[in-house]
Amino acid sequence: MSSRQDQRVGEGATAIQSQRDTIIHQGLSSEDVRTIVESLADQMPKLAATAAAVMEVRLKAFEESIMKRFDEDAASKREAFSDPDFQHVVIEAQRAYARTGDTETHGTLVDLIAKRSSEGTGSRRAFAINEAITIISRLTRNEISELAFVFFSRFTQNFRVNNLTSFCAHLNSYIDELLDDLETDQQSYEYLVAQRCATISIGEIGLLQIWKNVYPGLFMKGFSAEQVDKIVGETSPDIKSLLVPSVFNPACYQPRAMSLEVLLSIQRPPSVSEENVQHVWAQAIADLADDAAIVQKLKPLCPRIEEVIGKWHSTPLKSLDLTTLGQVIGHARLTQIPDFGTPDLSIWIK
């Protein structure tokens, strides 16, 4: 028998040579596929039973959380359970949690149900909360946290903050809870846009600029003794009663309030006019510390300050504008952080 192995093969053809029996496998046969499908089908009752057991545990936990919230929260209205629309909302929330089982989703949904109970069916907030409950089942923990951090940064102010120590303690409570969930992948933010929770604008705002806008009194460089003398000459000697050592630089002086509104509300000598107060404030906020100096000042008290600023500036967070739905979900997530307290949603959504 000849042992020649040379062949000529046309384009698109396959040449096979063998001097013994040759077995050719062309993928799975129809019978192979049928066998696999049938074996999987045999497992379906077991899988369904397992899934049902998991769902039962989740629904029980969710039910207990709802009852506890309505027992402990005076703002939650039990009579809402007689409203068909509210009943539908509760069912949607149960389905959402049964699908995910995520701890943050659980807490956020419970909060949304409690908020919805105090809203009359047909109001703007009621519609927004209804839609938020439906949408939240399609969001990951990361996306919920992104909405929450933007809401915290752009829509909230802690009036108890009056120095750098209290500011950093306030900031750390949100960083510790949310920072690790903030994604750097653009798709996470594009998905929030697709779910009608946010838009990504052309403009942007830095995180430090937000803090300067909200808490200007924390970052004033302050007036030197010479500058104070000049201010006194331009206004009134009694203006000194409205100055204290600078929060940012104790060697200098600044207005004794975190905002102009508070400064104007402080009792002052008759010789100090409202115009005098506004003049001093305008000079103080015209000379705030630069970003690098602020970071260095905060870093010992807020170890992750550079990380949070880096994430903000390297992602669409800096350009993310929350829709009403995004605000509802972000607000609900924040209520699970003790430092946030329980401010009413009506502050932001009328």
Side-chain angles (χ1 to χ4, degrees):
M1 182 173 65
S2 173
S3 61
R4 289 187 62 186
Q5 297 290 310
D6 56 314
Q7 289 182 330
R8 293 183 181 180
V9 180
E11 184 177 352
T14 301
I16 301 173
Q17 295 180 342
S18 175
Q19 293 184 355
R20 301 192 62 182
D21 293 341
T22 301
I23 300 174
I24 302 172
H25 293 281
Q26 296 286 358
L28 295 175
S29 68
S30 295
E31 284 304 313
D32 291 334
V33 173
R34 182 184 299 277
T35 299
I36 292 172
V37 171
E38 289 177 351
S39 66
L40 291 175
D42 290 341
Q43 296 298 315
M44 286 301 292
K46 297 178 181 178
L47 295 174
T50 301
V54 171
M55 184 174 292
E56 182 67 23
V57 170
R58 290 177 180 177
L59 290 176
K60 185 65 176 177
F62 193 66
E63 176 187 321
E64 292 298 325
S65 295
I66 292 176
M67 297 310 300
K68 181 179 180 181
R69 179 64 178 266
F70 276 78
D71 285 341
E72 298 177 353
D73 184 3
S76 301
K77 307 298 182 183
R78 289 177 176 273
E79 55 268 29
F81 283 96
S82 61
D83 179 357
D85 187 62
F86 183 73
Q87 292 175 10
H88 175 76
V89 167
V90 175
I91 292 171
E92 286 293 313
Q94 289 175 315
R95 288 174 177 169
Y97 178 63
R99 290 171 63 182
T100 66
D102 183 74
T103 305
E104 275 67 36
T105 302
H106 180 141
T108 304
L109 285 168
V110 170
D111 185 77
L112 288 172
I113 289 175
K115 286 181 172 63
R116 175 62 182 81
S117 73
S118 63
E119 301 293 339
T121 295
S123 71
R124 182 182 296 112
R125 282 192 298 274
F127 285 137
I129 294 171
N130 288 358
E131 191 66 14
I133 287 172
T134 300
I135 288 176
I136 204 169
S137 65
R138 302 197 294 267
L139 301 180
T140 67
R141 169 187 177 131
N142 304 83
E143 282 128 18
I144 294 172
S145 292
E146 286 155 9
L147 294 174
F149 194 76
V150 172
F151 189 94
F152 158 68
S153 300
R154 295 197 176 198
F155 294 93
T156 69
Q157 178 179 2
N158 186 338
F159 293 102
R160 298 188 302 273
V161 167
N162 56 16
N163 55 48
L164 296 179
T165 300
S166 59
F167 173 71
C168 287
H170 170 66
L171 184 59
N172 286 338
S173 64
Y174 294 89
I175 289 177
D176 292 344
E177 185 77 20
L178 302 171
L179 181 56
D180 290 334
D181 289 338
L182 306 183
E183 292 203 51
T184 56
D185 191 334
Q186 177 91 10
Q187 290 183 345
S188 180
Y189 304 95
E190 292 174 346
Y191 186 71
L192 286 173
V193 173
Q195 296 303 316
R196 297 177 291 114
C197 293
T199 60
I200 300 176
S201 64
I202 297 175
E204 61 182 59
I205 184 169
L207 196 54
L208 284 164
Q209 187 58 53
I210 292 175
W211 296 342
K212 288 179 183 180
N213 294 343
V214 178
Y215 304 102
L218 296 180
F219 307 112
M220 296 172 176
K221 288 184 179 179
F223 309 121
S224 65
E226 293 77 12
Q227 290 172 314
V228 170
D229 291 338
K230 182 180 178 181
I231 291 171
V232 167
E234 295 173 346
T235 55
S236 161
D238 294 329
I239 197 72
K240 287 185 176 181
S241 64
L242 297 183
L243 300 179
V244 294
S246 168
V247 172
F248 197 81
N249 180 10
C252 294
Y253 301 89
Q254 72 169 68
R256 52 182 294 195
M258 293 293 105
S259 68
L260 176 58
E261 291 73 17
V262 173
L263 188 64
L264 287 169
S265 69
I266 295 175
Q267 187 174 5
R268 58 182 183 271
S271 61
V272 179
S273 68
E274 183 173 310
E275 289 73 20
N276 295 153
V277 176
Q278 292 174 334
H279 175 68
V280 169
W281 182 264
Q283 287 190 304
I285 64 171
D287 193 22
L288 300 181
D290 60 56
D291 290 357
I294 291 174
V295 170
Q296 290 307 308
K297 194 80 169 181
L298 299 182
K299 195 172 180 179
L301 299 170
C302 183
R304 303 186 74 183
I305 186 72
E306 292 173 316
E307 185 181 353
V308 70
I309 292 172
K311 272 199 175 181
W312 182 273
H313 286 273
S314 63
T315 68
L317 285 168
K318 61 183 179 293
S319 304
L320 206 66
D321 295 325
L322 302 189
T323 64
T324 300
L325 293 177
Q327 291 179 44
V328 170
I329 295 171
H331 177 275
R333 174 67 182 90
L334 289 180
T335 58
Q336 298 165 57
I337 302 175
D339 191 66
F340 187 65
T342 56
D344 196 271
L345 186 60
S346 62
I347 296 173
W348 296 274
I349 301 175
K350 304 303 180 183

